[in-house]
Amino acid sequence: MAVYTTRAAKRDRAVAVFGAAGHTGRFVVLELVRRGMTPIAVARDAAKLAGFADLGIEVRGASVENPGSLDRAFKGAAAVINCAGPFLDTADAVASAALRAGIHYLDVTAEQPSAQATYDKFDKAARDAGVLVIPAMGFYGGFADLLVTTVMGDWHFADEIRVGIALDSWHPTRGTRVTGKKNTARRMIVANGRLTPVLQPAAEMDWDFPEPFARQKVVELPFSEIVVIARHTRSSELRTYLNRTALGDVRDPATPPPEPADENGRSAQTFLVEATVRNGEHVRRIAAQGQDIYAFSAPLICEAVQRMLDGKARLSGAQAPGAVFDARDYLDALAAQHHLSFVVAGG
């Protein structure tokens, strides 16, 4: 993993990262430093953060079982990024602590029940406090919402929205495996304009992705993006599909965790996400490519925090990113930073 040096602390730019000892959390801490913000690395076991302390990054210990420890850990921060799953276990406590402190809250959950519960519980409190609560601001969740919002453009309604996700491999982290065992709730899609459980067995089909993936076998497997997109986008149908290659990897207990393949600690994994939006006979598409879904979640969520602290968010409350930010400008910024490439097509 690349080594960075911190700048002088700026308390109005301080961001607490809960779960900083985890795989995604470490990427987030270093991305905050790269952007000139001041991370506060927080974990249950502060000893696991010794590498950050050696870089001059402040480290603090806290646990969701001890609300007082969270209050102390988030003191002086302007926002909290929760990277500690399963989020069904952590989101409520960490978001509650953020609201007690009167600061923004974000997480990277892929869990639909967690994202929905965060929206339902914290919207009013966040509005009253004048802050933002944005769950699922990661690869699964907020990313698809930004893509769909961009391609929707001036449309206020869609007859059908489909999101196809293709990974050349999926080497899951320990956190992903633990979350998968914990998250046994029925997965939801939008059908006939309402959130409804996906049918079992899950539908399978062929999806013609752009190169380099081309035609892939995909399975209907919705993540938190369904809840996030439905938060502010009206559609009759909203469905998500994952390619068979990735699903086979993540379901195989022998698949190893990700390994670094470059100087930034990213794995060699590549991804492509395509969203199609249909309104009558008109179809619009957007396709985005990048590297390492876990590492990519760091610039994705840190871009949101930076925009919040720069006063570029349109609303307060519990929101989807597409409702808060200029989605196309957001994707353009990620592309300019070489984290992403994307193409929009259709009329």
Side-chain angles (χ1 to χ4, degrees):
M1 185 171 288
V3 175
Y4 302 84
T5 57
T6 58
R7 299 181 183 182
K10 298 178 181 178
R11 303 317 297 176
D12 61 340
R13 308 291 288 180
V15 180
V17 181
F18 186 75
H23 187 79
T24 301
R26 291 182 177 274
F27 281 117
V28 169
V29 169
L30 296 179
E31 178 66 17
L32 289 170
V33 174
R34 189 188 70 80
R35 289 169 177 260
M37 289 182 274
T38 305
I40 301 169
V42 184
R44 177 187 295 272
D45 184 357
K48 293 182 178 180
L49 302 172
F52 287 142
D54 291 343
L55 297 176
I57 295 170
E58 185 174 0
V59 302
R60 299 175 183 176
S63 71
V64 294
E65 295 82 10
N66 186 339
S69 71
L70 293 174
D71 294 340
R72 292 187 293 273
F74 302 159
K75 186 176 181 179
V80 176
I81 298 175
N82 182 7
C83 297
F87 294 89
L88 287 167
D89 294 340
T90 67
D92 187 277
V94 179
S96 294
L99 268 294
R100 287 195 299 273
I103 60 179
H104 305 298
Y105 169 87
L106 308 91
D107 67 38
V108 292
T109 185
E111 305 158 49
Q112 289 184 339
S114 175
Q116 189 63 63
T118 299
Y119 282 139
D120 292 343
K121 180 171 181 177
F122 295 104
D123 184 44
K124 184 179 185 302
R127 290 175 188 271
D128 290 345
V131 299
L132 275 164
V133 168
I134 303 184
M137 192 63 242
F139 176 81
Y140 293 110
F143 182 39
D145 180 59
L146 290 167
L147 294 173
V148 168
T149 303
T150 296
V151 79
M152 282 283 288
D154 57 350
W155 290 354
H156 301 292
F157 176 84
D159 292 313
E160 181 182 56
I161 299 172
R162 290 191 175 191
V163 178
I165 300 169
L167 314 178
D168 67 346
S169 64
W170 189 355
H171 289 201
T173 64
R174 177 181 175 277
T176 295
R177 291 207 180 278
V178 171
T179 298
K181 293 179 180 179
K182 177 85 173 181
N183 184 19
T184 59
R186 290 287 299 276
R187 294 176 185 264
M188 308 295 284
I189 58 170
V190 173
N192 298 316
R194 296 186 300 176
L195 283 170
T196 186
V198 68
L199 295 176
Q200 295 297 328
E204 297 192 36
M205 58 184 283
D206 290 328
W207 188 298
D208 290 317
F209 289 95
E211 294 292 344
F213 285 90
R215 176 163 290 196
Q216 298 275 318
K217 291 286 185 183
V218 297
V219 178
E220 187 167 23
L221 189 66
F223 294 93
S224 54
E225 68 281 339
I226 297 292
V227 171
V228 176
I229 295 168
R231 181 73 176 173
H232 71 113
T233 301
R234 295 175 58 242
S235 64
S236 291
E237 304 286 324
L238 172 57
R239 300 171 183 269
T240 304
Y241 300 83
L242 178 69
N243 67 327
R244 265 278 174 204
T245 298
L247 187 59
D249 280 349
V250 78
R251 286 181 172 174
D252 184 352
T255 303
E259 295 184 357
D262 65 20
E263 69 278 4
N264 295 315
R266 298 182 302 176
S267 74
Q269 178 201 59
T270 58
F271 64 79
L272 191 153
V273 180
E274 184 174 38
T276 66
V277 178
R278 181 176 63 82
N279 191 344
E281 297 180 355
H282 300 281
V283 178
R284 294 174 175 175
R285 300 176 181 272
I286 185 169
Q289 300 183 54
Q291 179 181 344
D292 190 335
I293 62 174
Y294 297 108
F296 174 67
S297 289
L300 184 64
I301 199 166
C302 290
E303 180 72 23
V305 172
Q306 189 163 18
R307 287 171 182 247
M308 289 176 181
L309 300 187
D310 287 345
K312 295 181 179 180
R314 291 190 284 250
L315 301 168
S316 61
Q319 302 285 353
V324 173
F325 306 114
D326 181 326
R328 178 59 185 263
D329 183 68
Y330 199 113
L331 296 177
D332 283 339
L334 293 174
Q337 298 161 33
H338 308 291
H339 297 300
L340 184 72
S341 62
F342 69 96
V343 176
V344 183

